[in-house]
Amino acid sequence: MMKKFVNDPKQFVPEMLQGIALANPDRICYVPQYNLIMRSGAPDDAKVSIVQGSGSGHEPAHVMVVGKGMLDAACPGDVFSAPPVDYVYETIRRLKSQKGVLLLVNNYTGDRLSFDMAREMAEAEGIRCETVIIDDDVAVSGSTHTVGRRGVAGNFFVIKAVGAASECGAGLDELAALGRRVNSVTRTLGIALSSCTPPAKGAPLFDLGGDEIEVGIGIHGEPGRRRDKLVPASAIVEMILDAVVPDLPYQSGDDVALMLNGLGGTPLSELYLLYGLAHRRLAGRGIRVRRSYVGEYCTSLEMAGASLTLVKLDDQLVSLLDAPADTVLRIF
Amino acid sequence: MMKKFVNDPKQFVPEMLQGIALANPDRICYVPQYNLIMRSGAPDDAKVSIVQGSGSGHEPAHVMVVGKGMLDAACPGDVFSAPPVDYVYETIRRLKSQKGVLLLVNNYTGDRLSFDMAREMAEAEGIRCETVIIDDDVAVSGSTHTVGRRGVAGNFFVIKAVGAASECGAGLDELAALGRRVNSVTRTLGIALSSCTPPAKGAPLFDLGGDEIEVGIGIHGEPGRRRDKLVPASAIVEMILDAVVPDLPYQSGDDVALMLNGLGGTPLSELYLLYGLAHRRLAGRGIRVRRSYVGEYCTSLEMAGASLTLVKLDDQLVSLLDAPADTVLRIF
């Protein structure tokens, strides 16, 4: 039996979005017919509008990072389903700004298709658009729903950087170049300790043995590189770093941001434990952690697991990451 | 088999604390021999020092809410175990301020014992202390480890209020009175969908049937009021409000803060779904939600479940809740 706080599974996403809207009356507007969460006051012709859409089930990505300094709008699809073309198209139309609309898309076939078609329709109406594809996951070079690498938690750094730069008046081409630059220095790998259960499916997405982990898990439960036996946290961190560090590569002398992202069912205590191990092992490789992010950023419902993201930093990127933001996702 | 990111279970808490320290070099100091997390620059004779200790496993409570506008220090015990007397005593000594030390204690027998003894020892050395006991859980009037009601997520509001007031220079007696006043208008009830597994035990704390929920769960897995069959989210919210609202009572015309707290394994999507249902049902009872808090504040490791807290608000309390804070627990 599925154990979740849910009414009708078909209403899972709308009921979540209603909750977000009720909790944030001054920050956002909610347009139910398109699952659209817009920042209050958007669009603003003085800034590029930044839009992301994706399947739901990855919260806080992306509906909860709408707000000042981050996204101007998010249009999610159903759980683990790309947003329909008309959702994306309506979102772009409503977010039309004289400075243009920047579309951030994680690299999944369904999401790209929706965004490409919607962009074409919007451009035919004279709306200027640019697209940045995020593909930070080093696990596999193609997967169930993907040609090329998948976009996962590293996407947060792209949003944060272009969101901050857009508040300072950066133009569309500049933002697209910045987003691509951040993506190009960002790498992630995730490990699952459990599956997860989409409300409409009512059963686990995949089976994982009681002593098994999936190395390189996708955020929709897609297979990774391999299944391993569960090992101590130190060995898991070493395994992740051995995949992520050489991929860019991150080198001795580099400054990085280090993110330990929970996949939904893993507590903060374990994430900080992993963080500490990773921080020290990176120091041992001569890589200095200059900024740290620990918590849930891009999840897979209640999946137990974590992903580790590295971003190679320079002073511009640090100042963009440090810029203030005010979103649905907040503590106080 | 226990599926967690862990090395030696005995090192679970120290390794988590090391991670917190490495991720926050400018914000906090870590004193390993007493599990002590201190705010950088504390103690400050211009402000009362605010200290909380409790068992670990409830993160972000309390080690991750150390920082400006919240706690000056936290001294956790092992998972679900009260901090030893000498940890608390050393914490009070190191946090000694001319304005005194305020001790916040959730109402569990072990925690009270440690804090009472440590306070006596500190007072014998001339350190002025006051204690505020938090007991917001309406579920039961006594429990496995408790005489009287238990302290759970509502504790966050006490910390936030006294933390903000202490930054403005409030004295020890004033802060203690404020803390007691906030506790007196705060009520919580939690529902568990699953058990959780303490690392050192390696097995679930309790068993819960595949279609069962524990109504009024304690944050250490203590029994609540009863076991029920899992019902739709709307019915769960109604059940919680029927327990919480009449208890104070919260009445038509009241302004409240509404917190939907995740117990560790429940995703943000479900918490916002519950939030939306609760917000509207409260409105239907004439109770206006003026401030909202959705996320993880006081957890039980990876337990699936949620608690709902109401706080009756007045203008003073709203301004204390809105005051800026900067803690380990942050997103950006």
Side-chain angles (χ1 to χ4, degrees):
Chain A
M1 184 177 182
M2 171 172 69
K3 284 189 117 177
K4 282 184 186 295
F5 295 115
V6 59
N7 291 312
D8 175 2
K10 286 200 188 68
Q11 296 303 313
F12 184 75
V13 172
E15 289 193 346
M16 166 184 75
L17 297 176
Q18 283 161 24
I20 293 173
L22 286 168
N24 296 275
D26 301 327
R27 280 185 181 81
I28 57 129
C29 303
Y30 169 43
V31 184
Q33 59 267 47
Y34 301 109
N35 278 2
L36 171 55
I37 298 280
M38 283 170 68
R39 174 176 163 186
S40 296
D44 173 357
D45 278 325
K47 84 179 280 299
V48 172
S49 289
I50 302 174
V51 169
Q52 173 118 27
S54 70
S56 291
H58 307 302
E59 293 72 26
H62 302 284
V63 285
M64 296 171 195
V65 291
V66 173
K68 185 175 159 60
M70 297 285 283
L71 296 177
D72 294 284
C75 56
D78 208 341
V79 171
F80 296 170
S81 297
V85 177
D86 58 320
Y87 287 26
V88 182
Y89 168 63
E90 279 296 331
T91 298
I92 297 174
R93 283 187 66 210
R94 286 168 194 245
L95 272 292
K96 175 184 176 174
S97 151
Q98 281 180 5
K99 295 194 79 165
V101 181
L102 181 67
L103 308 174
L104 304 181
V105 187
N106 280 359
N107 187 37
Y108 298 97
T109 307
D111 293 288
R112 291 189 68 156
L113 200 64
S114 281
F115 273 84
D116 283 351
M117 290 178 63
R119 175 180 170 176
E120 241 175 73
M121 290 157 70
E123 284 177 333
E125 295 176 16
I127 302 174
R128 262 189 83 209
C129 298
E130 272 294 337
T131 304
V132 173
I133 303 292
I134 294 102
D135 60 352
D136 55 307
D137 188 349
V138 306
V140 290
S141 62
S143 182
T144 322
H145 313 291
T146 321
V147 176
R149 288 181 164 188
R150 303 175 297 212
V152 287
N155 173 56
F156 166 84
F157 293 99
V158 176
I159 297 174
K160 184 74 186 74
V162 299
S166 76
E167 299 290 339
C168 303
L172 183 60
D173 294 335
E174 187 186 341
L175 288 181
L178 172 64
R180 289 180 195 120
R181 183 166 80 77
V182 175
N183 181 62
S184 76
V185 294
T186 301
R187 297 289 190 276
T188 301
L189 189 85
I191 303 274
L193 303 188
S194 83
S195 183
C196 62
T197 297
K201 183 172 157 73
L205 258 190
F206 60 95
D207 290 316
L208 196 58
D211 61 347
E212 280 185 329
I213 62 175
E214 179 79 34
V215 178
I217 187 74
I219 56 172
H220 314 93
E222 308 96 306
R225 291 183 171 184
R226 64 179 186 279
R227 292 206 170 169
D228 272 355
K229 295 295 175 193
L230 179 61
V231 289
S234 297
I236 287 179
V237 166
E238 201 61 31
M239 180 194 301
I240 296 176
L241 291 178
D242 282 346
V244 172
V245 170
D247 195 273
L248 188 65
Y250 302 90
Q251 295 175 302
S252 181
D254 282 353
D255 283 351
V256 297
L258 169 59
M259 172 183 279
L260 257 299
N261 168 59
L263 294 181
T266 286
L268 276 167
S269 48
E270 294 178 45
L271 297 178
Y272 271 99
L273 185 151
L274 293 172
Y275 176 87
L277 299 170
H279 184 116
R280 283 187 296 179
R281 275 154 201 272
L282 286 166
R285 295 177 189 221
I287 297 169
R288 185 168 78 112
V289 178
R290 231 175 122 183
R291 289 295 180 273
S292 62
Y293 302 84
V294 185
E296 291 180 352
Y297 294 90
C298 185
T299 63
S300 297
L301 297 168
E302 76 286 3
M303 184 182 285
S307 67
L308 182 153
T309 299
L310 291 181
V311 187
K312 186 171 171 177
L313 295 177
D314 53 42
D315 289 342
Q316 185 205 8
L317 194 40
V318 168
S319 78
L320 293 169
L321 292 179
D322 288 353
D326 176 49
T327 69
V328 169
L329 183 65
R330 65 204 144 77
I331 299 154
F332 306 121
Chain B
M1 184 178 183
M2 171 171 69
K3 285 189 115 176
K4 284 182 185 293
F5 295 114
V6 59
N7 290 313
D8 175 2
K10 286 200 187 67
Q11 296 303 313
F12 184 75
V13 171
E15 289 192 348
M16 166 185 76
L17 297 176
Q18 283 160 25
I20 293 173
L22 286 166
N24 295 275
D26 302 327
R27 279 186 181 80
I28 57 129
C29 303
Y30 169 42
V31 184
Q33 59 267 45
Y34 301 109
N35 277 2
L36 171 55
I37 299 280
M38 283 170 69
R39 174 177 164 185
S40 296
D44 174 356
D45 279 324
K47 84 179 279 302
V48 171
S49 289
I50 302 173
V51 169
Q52 173 120 26
S54 70
S56 290
H58 307 302
E59 293 71 24
H62 300 282
V63 285
M64 295 170 195
V65 290
V66 172
K68 185 175 158 60
M70 297 287 281
L71 296 177
D72 294 283
C75 56
D78 209 339
V79 172
F80 296 169
S81 298
V85 177
D86 58 320
Y87 288 25
V88 182
Y89 168 64
E90 277 298 331
T91 299
I92 297 174
R93 284 187 66 210
R94 285 167 195 245
L95 271 292
K96 174 184 177 174
S97 152
Q98 280 180 5
K99 295 194 78 165
V101 181
L102 181 67
L103 309 174
L104 303 181
V105 186
N106 280 357
N107 188 36
Y108 298 97
T109 306
D111 293 288
R112 290 189 70 155
L113 200 65
S114 281
F115 273 83
D116 283 352
M117 290 177 64
R119 177 181 168 175
E120 242 175 73
M121 291 157 68
E123 284 177 333
E125 294 176 18
I127 302 175
R128 260 191 84 211
C129 298
E130 272 294 336
T131 305
V132 173
I133 302 294
I134 293 103
D135 60 352
D136 56 309
D137 187 349
V138 306
V140 290
S141 61
S143 182
T144 322
H145 312 294
T146 321
V147 176
R149 288 181 164 189
R150 303 174 297 213
V152 288
N155 174 55
F156 165 84
F157 292 100
V158 176
I159 298 173
K160 185 72 185 73
V162 299
S166 76
E167 298 292 339
C168 303
L172 183 59
D173 294 336
E174 187 186 344
L175 288 180
L178 172 65
R180 289 179 196 122
R181 182 166 80 78
V182 175
N183 181 62
S184 75
V185 294
T186 301
R187 297 288 188 278
T188 300
L189 188 86
I191 303 274
L193 303 189
S194 83
S195 183
C196 63
T197 296
K201 182 172 158 74
L205 259 191
F206 60 95
D207 290 316
L208 196 59
D211 60 349
E212 279 184 330
I213 62 175
E214 179 79 33
V215 179
I217 187 75
I219 56 173
H220 314 94
E222 309 96 306
R225 292 184 172 186
R226 64 180 185 275
R227 292 205 170 170
D228 271 355
K229 295 295 175 192
L230 180 61
V231 289
S234 296
I236 287 178
V237 166
E238 200 61 31
M239 179 194 302
I240 297 175
L241 291 178
D242 282 345
V244 172
V245 171
D247 195 273
L248 188 66
Y250 302 91
Q251 294 175 303
S252 181
D254 282 353
D255 283 353
V256 297
L258 169 59
M259 172 183 279
L260 258 297
N261 168 60
L263 294 181
T266 287
L268 276 168
S269 48
E270 295 178 44
L271 296 179
Y272 270 99
L273 184 151
L274 293 173
Y275 176 87
L277 298 171
H279 183 116
R280 282 187 297 177
R281 276 155 201 271
L282 285 166
R285 296 178 189 220
I287 298 168
R288 186 169 77 113
V289 178
R290 233 175 120 182
R291 289 294 181 274
S292 62
Y293 301 83
V294 185
E296 291 179 351
Y297 293 89
C298 185
T299 62
S300 297
L301 297 167
E302 77 286 3
M303 183 182 287
S307 67
L308 182 153
T309 299
L310 291 181
V311 187
K312 186 171 171 177
L313 294 177
D314 53 42
D315 289 341
Q316 185 206 7
L317 194 41
V318 168
S319 80
L320 292 169
L321 292 179
D322 288 353
D326 177 48
T327 69
V328 169
L329 181 66
R330 64 204 145 78
I331 299 153
F332 306 120

